[in-house]
Amino acid sequence: MAFKEGEYKVAARLYGCAIDLAEVRKYAQVPLSPPSPLAHTCSLQEGSDQLKFYYSNRSASFCQLKRYDEARRDAQRAVELDESWHKAWYRKGIAEEGLEDYSAAERSFARGLDCAPRYCRTQRVVPRSRAVLDGRWVTRAEIRTSSERIKRSK
């Protein structure tokens, strides 16, 4: 809910709580009893397999907050938990783009496409990373700079 409402700091904190609880249960091998108040908020589910979702979603929250180092770390953790999950690779690529590591982003997006060739989000961003690497992608800052130069020359 918090992420959908644009409350990215809250979402990141809640996913962090969900990660902590899932990690404890993973090692303790015990179900939560009574149910956690976060169960409804974070869709907390039994089993360590849910960790990939929590890490991936927290990565998305960090990207929205422009905290790309943390976003990449969480996406990498999601990849480590399930290398065949396309969304983890997508989130890793988005974080790498935010860090302006375009060659790593392209590799992550390519891995994501290998896992799910029809995932449309990844299909859209691969050409963008390739264009940056080829020098054909113009950033917003470059557009503003060009516009300012044109205005001054008139």
Side-chain angles (χ1 to χ4, degrees):
M1 268 318 251
F3 186 89
K4 288 182 181 180
E5 293 174 2
E7 297 289 335
Y8 305 118
K9 280 185 181 179
V10 173
R13 208 168 321 132
L14 290 172
Y15 285 121
C17 292
I19 289 166
D20 291 343
L21 288 170
E23 289 282 3
V24 167
R25 280 188 311 182
K26 177 179 159 183
Y27 293 107
Q29 302 280 326
V30 294
L32 291 177
S33 182
S36 166
L38 291 175
H40 172 70
T41 309
C42 295
S43 302
L44 190 62
Q45 298 178 20
E46 295 293 327
S48 62
D49 60 326
Q50 293 302 308
L51 276 170
K52 71 179 183 184
F53 298 113
Y54 303 145
Y55 278 109
S56 177
N57 289 342
R58 188 169 70 173
S59 174
S61 299
F62 284 145
C63 278
Q64 291 296 324
L65 296 167
K66 300 191 182 337
R67 291 165 55 182
Y68 298 114
D69 280 324
E70 293 162 288
R72 179 169 50 183
R73 185 193 65 226
D74 278 359
Q76 179 60 42
R77 183 70 177 113
V79 164
E80 290 166 4
L81 290 165
D82 185 353
E83 287 189 8
S84 66
W85 191 39
H86 65 282
K87 204 169 207 176
W89 288 107
Y90 170 77
R91 297 262 164 85
K92 186 171 184 280
I94 293 295
E96 289 162 342
E97 271 192 340
L99 292 167
E100 297 182 7
D101 187 351
Y102 299 108
S103 56
E106 184 182 34
R107 286 190 303 273
S108 293
F109 292 140
R111 288 291 302 270
L113 280 176
D114 288 345
C115 298
R118 292 192 171 143
Y119 187 58
C120 63
R121 283 186 180 172
T122 307
Q123 288 175 346
R124 285 194 306 260
V125 293
V126 169
R128 181 175 70 198
S129 289
R130 173 61 15 218
V132 169
L133 290 170
D134 292 345
R136 294 180 284 117
W137 183 264
V138 180
T139 66
R140 287 186 181 118
E142 291 170 321
I143 292 169
R144 278 194 300 276
T145 304
S146 297
S147 298
E148 290 168 6
R149 263 191 254 131
I150 291 168
K151 285 177 188 175
R152 278 184 262 161
S153 67
K154 289 183 178 181

